[in-house]
Amino acid sequence: MVDFDMKHIVDCPSCKVSIQRQRLEESLYVCPECGYHFRLTPAERIQQIADTDSFLEFAAELTSQNPIELIGYESKLSQNQRKSDLKDAVVVGNCLIDEQAAVLGIMSFQFMGGSMGSVVGEKITQAMLQGADTNTPVILFTASGGARMQEGIFSLMQMAKTSSAAALLEETGTPLFIVITHPTTGGVTASFAMLGDIIMAEPGALIGFAGPRVIEGTIGEKLPKGFQTAEFQLEKGFVDSIVHRKDMRATLAYLLRIHANRGN
Amino acid sequence: MSEKQEDISELLGRLEKLAKDEQLDLEREITDLKARLVPVQKNREVQPSSAWDRVCLARHVDRPGTLEYISMICDDFMQLHGDRCYGDDPALIGGIGSINGRAITFIGNQKGSNLKENIRRNHGMGHPEGYRKALRLAKQAEKFSRPIVTFIDTSGAYPGLEAEQRGIGEAIARNLKEFSVLKVPVICFIIGEGGSGGALGIGVGDKLYMLENAVYSVISPEGFASILLRDSSKAEQAANTMKITATDLKEFGIIHDIVSEPSGGAHKDPQFVASQIKDIISRDFDILCTKQPSRLVRYRIKKIRGIGHFNGPAGSWWDQLLNIYPLTRALR
């Protein structure tokens, strides 16, 4: 991620080991020592997943409004746009993966914690309807703290909107593949993230409805180690497979290939 | 002060003493009781003037809940339990009842009317099995072409350890998806608190109504205050900025209409509110039940699809919807 842009040496947030930036790039931003998966920008993710120069973004111009007229929201938005060089917390487009067509959506935790407001809801919905319309598999990478409360009730409604789009996608028999990345909680977990035909997760990703601190506040004690990790969700039956970043492109290509003939 | 309210103040005093003397963690119960006392302590009988006043009324301990409304509007009712998977959730109830000879499936969040019942019903905060029971009953209703009414009254789904282990996120997500394409009409009433995903999990339908003093929000005023105002004691200020009242949501086009309440809140005259709810249900189902299922689903999705405020084009989605849901298509 860009926060170590200027540095040549980066410290792993997990095992604290110092890594040369070039080495980190070569390992797809995975710590060579402990396997910690660094957060990626959508651009970095697209570069790792899609065939070179195949990604064509759509709905790129959508930007948020301030529907509940919350003081400070507009400046927060422009601040995040400057910081992340993104218009909002998701990028969607058409691409090829190993020469197979897919609709690809990638959320960015860097933009207001990946929160889902009207723009994210609309773009995710458009991605799914694009897939439904052209019978092209949809792949969504999630990373989100949940609904964007600055947009009030409109953010909550995006959960219904994206989920109803998933229902339409299902109606056309088009596959929805979800890849959950660190962290994915709240309204995104309680909507499209849990509605994939196949749900994958990056190792160690935090996946849950309520955040760990909220749960600790409810039960009045510390959570057990590893609670709400991708590995925990695999054990509990909510994730199909944990996929290491180095295998992600090949895995998605494989899934696209075996779903190529769907009898419609 | 009503007798019930006196009980609460007394209980509150006893609990606080107990918590202090025995070093017990009763914070949740104490906070809950305090919240329910607030509207009594300040301007009783007076019409609420702020969103926060309505929050207090929506949480009022005497406020009628799902089962109370069902008993007032139905000629008969049979409660149905369990998700056929894990267990029965007393915080989210359901069953079949009839109004003027029409069988209807009812689903609703259920708080308790006293401390003991509130503990049993987990203050109306549902677990995954509650949401899965709701879906089971909804699919059953669809099977028998029975329309559905939901009553929403929860501060949210339960943010606890077991709820996470059993996939509360997945349970709510599945409901949102399945309810959006149910082939029978669904009418939703927010009767008290409409808290976040826990409310929306039974809140996707063809018609959405709110009681005059009900609130509907993406997060509780306390949560909003603690995250955005960095001070959880600023809940009142938060409530007044969040746009969560029935009037706000009607202006936004999120709800269809407001059910009026008597002066002082629904608990002052539950029958007054119940008879309006009953009229709305009969009136709406008279129309909705004659609609072709595919048309019903298309218009439900059209409504949901249109919610959101952003700059830029929304895309040609109506054509896409027509392709996916042609009017003539026989739905499975």
Side-chain angles (χ1 to χ4, degrees):
Chain A
M1 216 160 87
V2 276
D3 54 356
F4 50 78
D5 229 16
M6 303 310 287
K7 294 187 207 160
H8 291 293
I9 300 287
V10 185
D11 291 337
C12 171
S14 178
C15 72
K16 313 290 177 214
V17 76
S18 298
I19 315 159
Q20 278 194 326
R21 186 179 152 77
Q22 197 193 339
R23 193 166 170 225
L24 195 61
E25 273 176 22
E26 284 162 8
S27 64
L28 306 173
Y29 299 97
V30 176
C31 173
E33 293 300 320
C34 72
Y36 174 82
H37 283 50
F38 283 76
R39 281 184 198 139
L40 298 180
T41 64
E44 287 163 343
R45 182 78 68 180
I46 290 163
Q47 199 195 358
Q48 290 187 13
I49 297 302
D51 293 357
T52 310
D53 294 335
S54 73
F55 186 80
L56 277 177
E57 189 177 358
F58 57 79
E61 67 277 30
L62 299 197
T63 52
S64 290
Q65 293 181 353
N66 187 3
I68 68 164
E69 291 162 354
L70 188 73
I71 296 162
Y73 181 42
E74 277 127 349
S75 61
K76 183 104 186 158
L77 280 169
S78 48
Q79 191 188 326
N80 274 270
Q81 283 163 349
R82 275 197 307 276
K83 185 183 82 180
S84 65
D85 204 21
L86 297 168
K87 290 272 177 23
D88 211 292
V90 72
V91 173
V92 292
N94 288 293
C95 75
L96 295 175
I97 299 174
D98 202 12
E99 298 180 351
Q100 302 166 96
V103 178
L104 184 62
I106 295 170
M107 298 187 80
S108 169
F109 194 79
Q110 205 192 4
F111 193 101
M112 289 189 76
S115 56
M116 176 161 65
S118 299
V119 170
V120 171
E122 175 64 22
K123 285 170 90 167
I124 294 284
T125 301
Q126 283 195 28
M128 287 200 263
L129 291 187
Q130 171 98 306
D133 211 22
T134 57
N135 205 355
T136 309
V138 179
I139 301 167
L140 301 174
F141 282 75
T142 68
S144 175
R148 187 173 297 167
M149 67 192 88
Q150 289 90 342
E151 291 189 22
I153 197 71
F154 293 99
S155 63
L156 184 69
M157 292 300 149
Q158 303 311 308
M159 292 168 61
K161 181 162 156 174
T162 53
S163 301
S164 71
L168 292 180
L169 190 63
E170 176 158 297
E171 192 69 23
T172 64
T174 311
L176 174 62
F177 303 132
I178 298 289
V179 183
I180 304 180
T181 72
H182 180 73
T184 297
T185 58
V188 168
T189 298
S191 64
F192 64 92
M194 280 292 150
L195 295 174
D197 295 299
I198 292 174
I199 302 176
M200 289 156 279
E202 285 201 321
L206 176 82
I207 307 166
F209 177 61
R213 264 173 306 170
V214 176
I215 304 170
E216 284 177 352
T218 308
I219 62 173
E221 53 187 271
K222 289 294 253 187
L223 287 171
K225 201 169 156 37
F227 191 74
Q228 293 182 313
T229 56
E231 294 73 16
F232 168 91
Q233 297 293 2
L234 182 81
E235 186 191 308
K236 294 295 170 198
F238 294 102
V239 161
D240 286 287
S241 180
I242 295 174
V243 180
H244 192 282
R245 196 170 282 166
K246 68 176 161 47
D247 303 321
M248 191 60 79
R249 178 175 148 86
T251 304
L252 292 172
Y254 170 75
L255 285 176
L256 290 173
R257 190 159 297 119
I258 57 169
H259 287 85
N261 298 310
R262 298 192 293 275
N264 50 15
Chain B
M1 197 181 263
S2 74
E3 201 180 320
K4 231 173 172 179
Q5 292 290 335
E6 279 166 13
D7 285 351
I8 295 169
S9 331
E10 197 205 316
L11 197 58
L12 185 62
R14 276 179 18 216
L15 270 186
E16 280 174 332
K17 189 171 182 298
L18 195 68
K20 195 165 166 250
D21 295 350
E22 308 285 332
Q23 297 283 300
L24 291 172
D25 183 16
L26 296 170
E27 205 182 313
R28 157 145 245 124
E29 282 70 26
I30 289 169
T31 319
D32 184 63
L33 282 179
K34 274 186 183 161
R36 276 141 205 271
L37 269 180
V38 173
V40 184
Q41 285 164 350
K42 67 179 191 191
N43 59 12
R44 282 175 74 219
E45 304 291 331
V46 179
Q47 277 304 320
S49 55
S50 71
W52 177 249
D53 289 343
R54 293 189 202 276
V55 170
C56 296
L57 275 176
R59 292 173 177 174
H60 198 288
V61 69
D62 293 338
R63 194 169 176 85
T66 295
L67 282 169
E68 226 171 308
Y69 283 121
I70 289 174
S71 73
M72 284 186 284
I73 64 176
C74 287
D75 308 322
D76 47 64
F77 179 68
M78 182 178 179
Q79 198 179 146
L80 303 172
H81 296 272
D83 69 344
R84 300 289 191 272
C85 203
Y86 177 82
D88 185 50
D89 185 354
L92 213 164
I93 66 102
I96 308 167
S98 46
I99 296 178
N100 304 328
R102 176 188 275 132
I104 296 168
T105 289
F106 288 90
I107 294 164
N109 309 110
Q110 186 64 54
K111 297 177 177 177
S113 54
N114 56 53
L115 185 69
K116 199 175 150 205
E117 204 199 340
N118 243 330
I119 289 169
R120 183 170 85 83
R121 296 200 183 275
N122 200 26
H123 304 263
M125 292 185 284
H127 276 76
E129 51 273 23
Y131 291 91
R132 291 182 181 129
K133 171 169 67 179
L135 182 58
R136 178 175 79 84
L137 297 181
K139 297 299 274 185
Q140 181 194 74
E142 183 181 54
K143 179 177 175 183
F144 300 114
S145 305
R146 195 160 54 219
I148 299 167
V149 169
T150 74
F151 290 117
I152 295 159
D153 187 16
T154 180
S155 57
Y158 190 59
L161 203 73
E162 293 191 12
E164 291 291 327
Q165 285 169 343
R166 298 199 286 276
I168 185 69
E170 193 275 345
I172 291 173
R174 183 162 303 273
N175 282 14
L176 302 183
K177 178 183 168 192
E178 298 291 340
F179 272 73
S180 70
V181 289
L182 274 178
K183 288 161 230 155
V184 290
V186 183
I187 307 177
C188 311
F189 291 92
I190 303 170
I191 57 174
E193 281 184 281
S196 196
L200 189 62
I202 56 167
V204 173
D206 303 292
K207 295 271 186 177
L208 177 59
Y209 295 92
M210 266 174 93
L211 267 53
E212 194 181 330
N213 294 313
V215 289
Y216 194 13
S217 60
V218 62
I219 186 171
S220 68
E222 287 79 3
F224 188 95
S226 107
I227 297 169
L228 286 186
L229 310 176
R230 297 179 196 282
D231 182 355
S232 61
S233 67
K234 288 184 179 163
E236 178 167 355
Q237 186 194 331
N240 294 335
T241 53
M242 288 168 71
K243 305 251 164 67
I244 58 177
T245 66
T247 325
D248 294 326
L249 270 70
K250 190 171 180 207
E251 220 164 90
F252 288 151
I254 302 280
I255 64 165
H256 288 89
D257 218 338
I258 301 170
V259 179
S260 55
E261 292 187 30
S263 169
H267 59 287
K268 295 290 175 191
D269 188 356
Q271 198 64 53
F272 172 79
V273 179
S275 71
Q276 291 177 77
I277 292 177
K278 187 174 175 173
D279 289 347
I280 291 170
I281 292 173
S282 295
R283 183 197 69 196
D284 281 1
F285 282 157
D286 279 348
I287 299 164
L288 292 172
C289 290
T290 64
K291 288 207 190 297
Q292 228 181 328
S294 59
R295 190 183 282 267
L296 200 64
V297 172
R298 258 174 34 188
Y299 279 90
R300 189 185 304 146
I301 288 183
K302 183 189 171 191
K303 169 96 197 313
I304 301 167
R305 175 75 182 86
I307 300 176
H309 282 266
F310 49 84
N311 306 307
S316 59
W317 57 275
W318 181 243
D319 291 344
Q320 291 173 329
L321 191 58
L322 281 175
N323 285 340
I324 298 162
Y325 263 93
L327 201 57
T328 51
R329 179 168 177 163
L331 291 163
R332 286 192 299 271

